Amino acid sequence: MAIELKLSRSNRVYCLGESVDGKIITILASPVSYQKIIISLTGTVNLQVKGGVTGVIESLYGVVKPICIVKKSMELATSAGKLGPGRTEINFSFSLSSEEKSGYDMFYETFHGGNISIQYLISADVTRGYLHKALSATLELIVEHDKASLIQVPISPELTSFFITQDTQKHQLLPELSSGRFQVTGNISTHCSLSEPLSGELIVEASAVPIRSIDILLLRVESILTGERIISDTSVVQITQARIVPLIHNYHH
């Protein structure tokens, strides 16, 4: 016996207010009796531990319980029946909205971070009574905000300046750097679209030792509210190694 969930969109990406259409597909060697056929949508916010060194947020794992933000279900078959042998397709359709006042009606965009995840799962359950195991299948649904409905706020062209010297570093430095001169300046745009390159300028003005490479790190900061405290943790999303150009180096990331 096999059961599968298939959505009309192969990328499984939907916006709030759109219709989610799909099929429950069963492949059976012989007829199977059922009591109910139910399609469900559940959205949760979770802490997740991926092994390795335990961070600040990971230390709360087991203390902070998963938060349910969406919970919907629909019965496709309300009375007992029978699924025939071979392949059977059962269509379903529901609106991705928060019209039901069930106490769970908050939609946020799907997010899979290093410590926190917001996930939406569609489940199909063919219940068969107490003596028989239910046929079940689960598929993740990706929720995104409708970009067309968002207020288009012009991105500020202003750049944020930064400087790095031996005195701004908290970690231990080579004696040559501690006693010698080291200075890096530059600027970067901190307001940008995720679909556009992150750009800026970096200038190595002085260095007591030769520089072999420059790594640019993109970090993700995740925060949770526990009691009256906000706890944050940082993880690396991407590392780009910049090519060294004499005097001035312009980079696009």
Side-chain angles (χ1 to χ4, degrees):
M1 295 185 293
I3 182 171
E4 179 186 359
L5 266 173
K6 188 174 183 179
L7 298 179
S8 58
R9 298 181 184 177
S10 58
N11 62 3
R12 299 175 283 119
V13 176
Y14 293 85
C15 297
L16 188 62
E18 291 186 328
S19 176
V20 179
D21 304 317
K23 298 177 180 179
I24 301 173
I25 302 172
T26 60
I27 301 176
L28 307 173
S30 58
V32 169
S33 299
Y34 64 84
Q35 291 185 335
K36 291 181 180 180
I37 300 177
I38 302 173
I39 192 81
S40 304
L41 173 65
T42 304
T44 55
V45 179
N46 295 282
L47 287 181
Q48 54 191 16
V49 177
K50 295 184 177 180
V53 179
T54 301
V56 179
I57 291 182
E58 285 100 323
S59 65
L60 295 174
Y61 183 75
V63 177
V64 180
K65 297 180 180 180
I67 301 172
C68 183
I69 55 176
V70 173
K71 191 174 184 180
K72 297 175 180 290
S73 63
M74 178 176 60
E75 292 187 3
L76 303 181
T78 57
S79 58
K82 183 176 292 187
L83 295 172
R87 181 187 177 96
T88 302
E89 296 184 356
I90 304 170
N91 296 320
F92 65 84
S93 178
F94 62 88
S95 176
L96 195 64
S97 65
S98 55
E99 296 175 356
E100 297 179 12
K101 303 301 180 182
S102 60
Y104 308 101
D105 56 1
M106 297 179 291
F107 277 91
Y108 302 99
E109 284 195 317
T110 295
F111 176 75
H112 291 284
N115 304 288
I116 302 168
S117 69
I118 301 176
Q119 188 176 39
Y120 300 89
L121 297 176
I122 296 180
S123 299
D125 294 289
V126 180
T127 61
R128 305 170 58 203
Y130 294 108
L131 300 179
H132 300 279
K133 185 178 179 181
L135 301 178
S136 301
T138 303
L139 186 68
E140 182 177 10
L141 178 75
I142 309 299
V143 175
E144 290 186 353
H145 288 311
D146 184 4
K147 303 302 185 293
S149 64
L150 297 177
I151 299 176
Q152 297 298 319
V153 179
I155 297 175
S156 173
E158 296 181 1
L159 299 175
T160 299
S161 299
F162 63 87
F163 71 97
I164 303 172
T165 68
Q166 65 271 21
D167 297 328
T168 64
Q169 305 308 297
K170 297 180 180 179
H171 59 280
Q172 186 175 4
L173 300 176
L174 294 172
E176 296 88 343
L177 284 178
S178 300
S179 59
R181 185 166 179 260
F182 180 80
Q183 184 168 318
V184 175
T185 61
N187 53 66
I188 190 171
S189 175
T190 54
H191 292 80
C192 58
S193 171
L194 290 177
S195 60
E196 299 295 331
L198 178 64
S199 60
E201 182 181 71
L202 184 148
I203 305 171
V204 179
E205 297 188 357
S207 177
V209 296
I211 296 177
R212 296 181 179 178
S213 65
I214 298 176
D215 292 336
I216 302 169
L217 278 67
L218 178 63
L219 304 177
R220 171 177 51 215
V221 180
E222 299 173 89
S223 303
I224 66 170
L225 177 64
T226 171
E228 298 181 351
R229 293 191 306 156
I230 296 179
I231 297 177
S232 299
D233 208 355
T234 303
S235 56
V236 178
V237 176
Q238 184 175 330
I239 300 177
T240 300
Q241 189 172 87
R243 182 171 56 92
I244 301 299
V245 176
L247 298 181
I248 297 178
H249 172 67
N250 292 323
Y251 66 86
H252 286 273
H253 175 60

